[in-house]
Amino acid sequence: MKTTTIYDVAREAGVSIATVSNAINGKGKVSNKKRDEILEVMKRLQYQPSVIASALMGKKTYTIGLLIPDVSNPFFSEIARTVEDLAHSEGYSVIVCSTDNKDERVEKYIRLLDQKNVDGILIGTGVGNADILALHVEKYFPIVMIARETAGIAVHRVLNDDFKGGTIAAEHLLEKGHRKMAVLSEDFNVSSSFERVRGFRFGLFEAGISLDPKNIFACESNIKDGKRVASEILHGAERPTALFCCNDLLAIGALQAAKEEGISVPEQLSIIGFDDTILSTVTNPTLTTIAQPMNQMVKMAFDLLIGSLDHTDDIKQRIVLQPELVIRESTGNSPIK
Amino acid sequence: MKTTTIYDVAREAGVSIATVSNAINGKGKVSNKKRDEILEVMKRLQYQPSVIASALMGKKTYTIGLLIPDVSNPFFSEIARTVEDLAHSEGYSVIVCSTDNKDERVEKYIRLLDQKNVDGILIGTGVGNADILALHVEKYFPIVMIARETAGIAVHRVLNDDFKGGTIAAEHLLEKGHRKMAVLSEDFNVSSSFERVRGFRFGLFEAGISLDPKNIFACESNIKDGKRVASEILHGAERPTALFCCNDLLAIGALQAAKEEGISVPEQLSIIGFDDTILSTVTNPTLTTIAQPMNQMVKMAFDLLIGSLDHTDDIKQRIVLQPELVIRESTGNSPIK
DNA sequence: CTGAAAGCGCTTACAG
DNA sequence: CTGAAAGCGCTTACAG
């Protein structure tokens, strides 16, 4: 019942607790003989140092926080898994915090993480305008942002080139002969979506096509709203032949709307998503989408975070990674020649 | 930079740290006047008690562990989200641990959680035969199992009636006129799958139909293997008219196999899944499936866990909840009259 | 009602 | 190379 402490192993090994501590941490000088004895006793007693106690002495808690909009969203649950594995391999645990993009949740969670002395936090997008808070917080522990740009706050950031992603989508659709297109975006103040749309428009623009802003629609970021908005578009007077959706959820909504309207994809309508979540492999037709280099992004962000723990790096990096087109079944040639 | 401690508050308020502590925790007697003063100072100094320090004094860490096979699997990510929300509302954080059903990962994680003095752990299925370990661990902190039966270890369990789920699936298919059926199961030593299959067979048995064991196939629990096995079945001499799959992933694999073979679902083949994950709403056709009362299960498990923290309840509960049939598009009348 | 003191399980100078 | 002692930020009897 009672946990065995450093005192138990010290007594058992006939040394002081300081020596046990040194033996464990490889600090100071401990003779090999004593060290081996101590290690042996530790094993015999199944001694595990208390992270709590050593954290109180200013050591790390070996715990990091992960702020994401929603773990149950496949895109973020994949991020969570990657973070977890990286963290685990370095001896860290991760506390998952779903913010629903609500500032008050962000704030509450950060306060909580602060109280628990986490070593650092990874912010995986979606923190509204809590940047101020991040600023406030940065004094306490390092922060690294994944897939999210921030204004006015000096933190490491690992980003996807969203603008480029939008451009790639545009090029793919143009190549298939599409000329009449529409866009399903997330709320325009989500910076990543904003960039994707900008990139998409730029891609069209380069081909001499201008996308009327009235063909860009803002949705809540879920399947249902994607479906609702897509339905409206498909009912409109000038039905587009292709839809660029700022994430897979919206694209799936569009797929469902098309199905409901009896419009076949990709024959009559092409749909392209963004994120390359597991969902895009499961729909029928499967979804052509833009893949962010997720694993790589998370890996770099994690390494930056861990790095920040040991030495405060004065200059903050801003790393931008390139997205990639993943062609599946939901895009095809334009029905209009 | 330096965190403000209870000493700062005490000094500022002109009282002892003991009084501050009492004021915070509502312990002992503190005059209203002093309490208010202290609270005011706390707010002014933005003081936040250190969870670490109080944990060292034997108080709770307000952190729980969640062991699941894989957070990136939609079924479990939904559980994780529910757990997180419940925990958060009670002031707890949750450390997510994906075990991949590997005993060594389970063991490592439990050790880690132990070192970090988590208050308790929720085991959301999939712990192989680490029951021995659970036993070992139960001395340190309470455990509650979700959707998983355990042998020889006294812990609270909140279960889904998997046998019943299998029976419901059988009844649904029988009602649609199916007589030739096959089953895609997870590994047979996964107790929940085992029960589902048993229930399914029982359902058929009651209708006077016996399911030849050679029509029950074990798969790894992922889309790919579901597809592989389903393909084999569909190529077999006696093609069934319906497939019962022990989880949605396998069902999706089956759906893909059917698509590849040009077999239309549900006209020529009915497919029924289990779990009712978001995936089942996204496929085309959407998936008929058996829904576990997930939110309810998680809620009950969480409450039992929190309850165990304050008073060790001697008798461990075993709660069994009922699953429900969710009819979507992937099941239809048997093509064979 | 309030405070001095001991102690939780560690780590870290500092002597020796 | 090793140990005594102080201290991390709290909580909890125990006096008063």
Side-chain angles (χ1 to χ4, degrees), chain A residues 29-257:
Chain A
K29 302 280 111 180
V30 182
S31 65
N32 288 328
K33 182 160 169 296
K34 291 232 158 170
R35 162 175 290 101
D36 292 345
E37 274 176 39
I38 291 170
L39 262 25
E40 189 276 320
V41 172
M42 280 173 47
K43 185 172 301 170
R44 181 151 50 79
L45 266 42
Q46 299 198 55
Y47 168 66
Q48 306 208 123
S50 156
V51 184
I52 297 290
S54 69
L56 193 54
M57 282 305 296
K59 310 284 280 194
K60 294 195 271 191
T61 52
Y62 283 94
T63 305
I64 62 172
L66 172 65
L67 253 59
I68 46 178
D70 181 10
V71 236
S72 72
N73 174 320
F75 179 65
F76 296 107
S77 68
E78 283 167 32
I79 289 184
R81 179 52 138 103
T82 307
V83 170
E84 189 202 318
D85 283 348
L86 290 167
H88 191 211
S89 73
E90 304 278 343
Y92 292 81
S93 325
V94 5
I95 293 181
V96 170
C97 308
S98 296
T99 66
D100 283 334
N101 289 318
K102 299 220 180 76
D103 284 1
E104 84 259 18
R105 279 183 73 105
V106 173
E107 205 169 323
K108 241 186 111 180
Y109 265 126
I110 293 208
R111 212 189 305 283
L112 203 63
L113 294 173
D114 188 11
Q115 278 193 58
K116 294 191 176 167
N117 279 29
V118 297
D119 297 325
I121 95 179
L122 235 35
I123 298 190
T125 212
V127 189
N129 55 51
D131 303 34
I132 316 95
L133 207 144
L135 184 75
H136 159 86
V137 132
E138 220 224 332
K139 293 176 297 188
Y140 300 106
F141 37 67
I143 291 179
V144 176
M145 297 273 195
I146 303 177
R148 179 146 210 291
E149 191 59 273
T150 50
I153 157 175
V155 292
H156 290 305
R157 286 146 291 168
V158 182
L159 307 168
N160 172 245
D161 192 338
D162 289 303
F163 184 91
K164 179 74 174 299
T167 308
I168 292 175
E171 286 165 355
H172 175 63
L173 259 18
L174 286 167
E175 198 175 293
K176 295 285 186 182
H178 296 276
R179 293 297 175 268
K180 289 177 58 179
M181 300 173 239
V183 174
L184 261 59
S185 170
E186 294 180 83
D187 194 302
F188 296 135
N189 65 31
V190 174
S191 63
S192 57
S193 272
F194 187 76
E195 284 304 299
R196 290 170 195 182
V197 174
R198 266 190 64 226
F200 187 76
R201 292 188 74 184
F202 176 76
L204 298 189
F205 169 77
E206 282 214 309
I209 298 179
S210 82
L211 180 69
D212 192 323
K214 77 177 199 308
N215 289 318
I216 301 172
F217 300 83
C219 317
E220 283 174 55
S221 184
N222 58 55
I223 296 177
K224 201 173 154 205
D225 210 51
K227 181 175 176 186
R228 181 184 65 79
V229 174
S231 283
E232 283 176 20
I233 298 176
L234 298 179
H235 274 138
E238 305 232 331
R239 205 175 85 197
T241 65
L243 249 30
F244 170 50
C245 303
C246 282
N247 65 225
D248 287 347
L249 259 20
L250 297 179
I252 287 167
L255 228 36
Q256 293 182 350

Side-chain angles (χ1 to χ4, degrees), chain B residues 204-232:
Chain B
L204 298 188
F205 169 77
E206 281 214 310
I209 298 178
S210 82
L211 181 70
D212 193 323
K214 78 177 197 308
N215 289 318
I216 301 172
F217 301 82
C219 317
E220 283 174 55
S221 183
N222 58 54
I223 295 177
K224 200 171 153 206
D225 211 52
K227 182 176 176 184
R228 182 184 65 78
V229 174
S231 283
E232 284 176 21

Side-chain angles (χ1 to χ4, degrees), chain B residues 248-262:
Chain B
D248 286 347
L249 259 22
L250 297 179
I252 287 167
L255 227 36
Q256 294 183 350
K259 180 181 171 187
E260 205 167 275
E261 303 294 332

